[in-house]
């Protein structure tokens, strides 16, 4: 059973998302909140697998508050996907981005995927990704065996917490490896690292 907390400023949206989640027998709503400030005090007690967050039309105020609930798997629903700063969103723990026009099936599938450690992106988000070319010198020789492992897991969309658990190392060590990979591949985001890794044959799809 996947435990979900629903966060939405609008009571109507909150009730609607809760109903969508509850319609699937594999998901259960363990709590709901009108604001991330409220959620931050409940996360430790409720222990959700996924936070389903409605960003509304203006996600900017959410960025600071997201820092209060780090180490959570968050899937966000936005009215205006173009307004989302992807790098900031990913850095703050968002692992899924869907449109407010997403169907019930898409929302349920997204929640299940994020709970499994995958990254979920609405097709419109792909147009925002910086797919610029990078020049990398001898990347296979510069990445350590452990960095290659971490890069491969990034390719599967795993977050730092999931990687740390699989490799039986601390999240701090994972962050160190990710930072080193970024530097060696000349990238600034996980998406770019995976893109370059695939292009160079470091990640096999």
């Amino acid at each position: 059973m996947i435990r979900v907390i629903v966060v939405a400023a609008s009571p109507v949206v909150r009730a609607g998302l809760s109903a969508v989640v509850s319609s699937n027998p594999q998901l259960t709503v363990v709590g709901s909140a009108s604001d991330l400030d409220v959620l931050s005090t409940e996360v430790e007690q409720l222990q959700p697998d996924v936070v389903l967050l409605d960003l509304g039309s203006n996600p900017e105020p959410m960025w600071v508050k997201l820092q209060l609930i780090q180490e959570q798997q968050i899937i966000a629903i936005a009215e205006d996907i173009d307004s989302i700063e992807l790098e900031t969103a990913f850095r703050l723990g968002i692992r899924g981005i869907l449109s407010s026009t997403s169907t019930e099936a898409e929302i349920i599938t997204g929640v299940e995927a994020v709970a499994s450690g995958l990254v979920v992106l609405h097709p419109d988000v792909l147009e925002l990704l910086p797919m610029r070319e990078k020049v990398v010198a001898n990347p296979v020789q510069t990445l350590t065996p452990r960095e290659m492992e971490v890069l491969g897991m990034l390719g599967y969309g795993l977050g730092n917490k999931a990687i740390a658990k699989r490799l039986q190392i601390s999240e701090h060590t994972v962050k160190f490896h990710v930072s080193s990979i970024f530097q060696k591949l000349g990238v600034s985001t996980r998406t770019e690292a995976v893109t370059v890794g695939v292009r160079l044959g470091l990640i096999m799809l």
Side-chain angles (χ1 to χ4, degrees), residues 5-204:
I5 287 182
V6 176
V7 182
S10 165
V12 174
V13 173
R14 196 160 62 246
L17 291 176
S18 296
V20 170
V21 172
S22 299
S23 69
N24 187 293
Q26 300 303 316
L27 311 179
T28 181
V29 177
V30 296
S32 65
S34 60
D35 191 87
L36 287 173
D37 290 334
V38 178
L39 175 63
S40 64
T41 63
E42 300 181 356
V43 164
E44 185 174 349
Q45 177 183 356
L46 297 176
Q47 294 292 307
D49 298 302
V50 177
V51 174
L52 179 57
L53 170 64
D54 175 54
L55 292 176
S57 59
N58 181 23
E60 289 302 321
M62 294 290 189
W63 298 151
V64 174
K65 295 181 180 181
L66 277 172
Q67 299 179 43
L68 300 174
I69 56 169
Q70 290 184 353
E71 309 305 330
Q72 295 298 315
Q73 299 282 67
I74 303 169
I75 181 167
I77 297 179
E79 291 182 20
D80 182 13
I81 287 180
D82 291 343
S83 67
I84 296 179
E85 174 55 51
L86 295 180
E87 187 171 346
T88 300
F90 293 145
R91 187 173 68 250
L92 293 176
I94 290 180
R95 292 294 173 263
I97 300 175
L98 294 178
S99 167
S100 57
T101 60
S102 297
T103 64
E104 293 186 9
E106 289 171 340
I107 293 174
I108 290 173
T109 300
V111 169
E112 291 176 328
V114 169
S116 298
L118 300 176
V119 173
V120 177
L121 297 178
H122 187 273
D124 290 350
V125 177
L126 297 179
E127 299 178 6
L128 306 177
L129 297 178
M131 298 297 187
R132 59 181 179 273
E133 292 294 319
K134 295 291 182 178
V135 178
V136 183
N138 300 321
V140 178
Q141 297 178 14
T142 59
L143 291 183
T144 66
R146 177 64 87 188
E147 288 168 352
M148 289 289 289
E149 286 183 300
V150 173
L151 179 60
M153 292 183 184
L154 292 180
Y156 283 105
L158 299 183
N160 289 353
K161 188 174 184 179
I163 294 175
K165 184 176 181 179
R166 290 200 179 190
L167 297 180
Q168 297 185 330
I169 57 180
S170 69
E171 289 184 54
H172 178 76
T173 301
V174 173
K175 291 179 181 178
F176 173 80
H177 287 313
V178 171
S179 177
S180 179
I181 290 170
F182 283 7
Q183 182 179 3
K184 291 179 179 180
L185 296 184
V187 300
S188 57
T189 68
R190 290 173 177 243
T191 301
E192 287 183 299
V194 171
T195 301
V196 172
V198 171
R199 177 163 53 82
L200 296 172
L202 303 179
I203 299 177
M204 304 304 294

